[in-house]
Amino acid sequence: LGDYWTLVLVVVLDRFFRKGGKTLSYLSFLAGFYVLLLSLSRSAMVSLLVGVFYLSKKGEFLRRRKLYLIFFLLGILFLFLYSGTKKSILLSRPYFSQAMGSFGDRIYGFGYGNFGEISKSAGSFEGNYSAYTHNLILESLTGFGLLGIVFLFWVYKVFKEIFFTHKKGDYLFKALLLTLSTNFLFDFTYAIPTMLWLWFTFLGLSQSHDS
């Protein structure tokens, strides 16, 4: 739920700075921070920081309210540090090393969705097992092996076109795409159909809407 609310907060923040503070905006802020506090999702906080940073560069009205932006970023940073007192920050994703250690075993991968077998065979202690790599790119490479490079190349081409080659597209949809993409690099939310559908939706809207 915390990962989903990062998207809500990006939209609320953009509307807040474009149209001014509304009662609904303040309530949404409080609800969003409360959900993040309950979830202690570090991936949600990191992805939210990335999305807000992009907004600060592209949102015309956001740049005019830098003090609000600073307070917001400090609030997210505080939540992130607080979550570090409850969960490990640097050692919370042993699945990354498990995935990378399996690359040389099967050149054509283990089949998408079979990372759990890799995690079991890694001989990891209790608590380091996962059915997912918690990273969409690693999930693709461990599942499809060399063929996963095709997906990686496609992602590179599409993101290069959206963020660097063509300057078209609504910056809010781009911020949402960047936020969710960052989340997919640190959590298994890409395995949730609704989140994956949202990712493709933001991908299409980023390309089709004029600024």
Side-chain angles (χ1 to χ4, degrees), residues 50-68:
V50 172
V52 172
F53 179 78
Y54 184 81
L55 277 182
S56 69
K57 296 297 182 181
K58 298 296 181 180
E60 175 184 354
F61 294 88
L62 189 60
R63 291 196 296 268
R64 298 177 182 175
R65 304 172 187 266
K66 293 183 179 179
L67 186 60
Y68 288 97

Side-chain angles (χ1 to χ4, degrees), residues 10-174:
V10 167
V11 175
V12 170
L13 184 67
D14 178 65
R15 290 183 177 275
F16 175 82
F17 285 113
R18 281 203 286 181
K19 299 180 180 180
K22 306 287 185 180
T23 301
L24 184 59
S25 298
Y26 290 118
L27 291 176
S28 298
F29 274 133
L30 291 176
F33 271 96
Y34 181 68
V35 171
L36 287 179
L37 180 62
L38 289 180
S39 68
L40 294 179
S41 174
R42 291 141 300 170
S43 59
M45 297 171 195
V46 171
S47 57
L48 181 58
L49 283 174
V50 172
V52 172
F53 179 78
Y54 184 81
L55 277 182
S56 69
K57 296 297 182 181
K58 298 296 181 180
E60 175 184 354
F61 294 88
L62 189 60
R63 291 196 296 268
R64 298 177 182 175
R65 304 172 187 266
K66 293 183 179 179
L67 186 60
Y68 288 97
L69 174 63
I70 292 173
F71 278 119
F72 183 83
L73 294 178
L74 287 176
I76 297 298
L77 181 60
F78 170 78
L79 286 179
F80 185 83
L81 294 176
Y82 174 74
S83 69
T85 65
K86 305 294 183 180
K87 303 177 181 178
S88 173
I89 295 178
L90 299 178
L91 303 177
S92 61
R93 291 294 183 265
Y95 330 116
F96 291 178
S97 60
Q98 292 174 3
M100 291 185 287
S102 69
F103 288 158
D105 296 337
R106 294 188 188 179
I107 191 172
Y108 295 112
F110 292 80
Y112 194 82
N114 291 330
F115 177 74
E117 298 302 318
I118 298 174
S119 190
K120 285 181 181 178
S121 63
S124 56
F125 53 85
E126 185 179 358
N128 278 3
Y129 166 81
S130 174
Y132 305 100
T133 64
H134 289 67
N135 182 290
L136 180 59
I137 301 301
L138 291 178
E139 195 79 52
S140 177
L141 292 175
T142 56
F144 301 115
L146 287 178
L147 297 178
I149 297 177
V150 176
F151 173 71
L152 184 60
F153 180 72
W154 175 78
V155 170
Y156 164 75
K157 292 287 290 184
V158 169
F159 273 65
K160 180 181 179 182
E161 177 183 344
I162 291 176
F163 292 100
F164 299 102
T165 304
H166 302 297
K167 299 303 180 182
K168 296 180 180 180
D170 190 302
Y171 72 85
L172 177 57
F173 291 127
K174 291 183 178 182

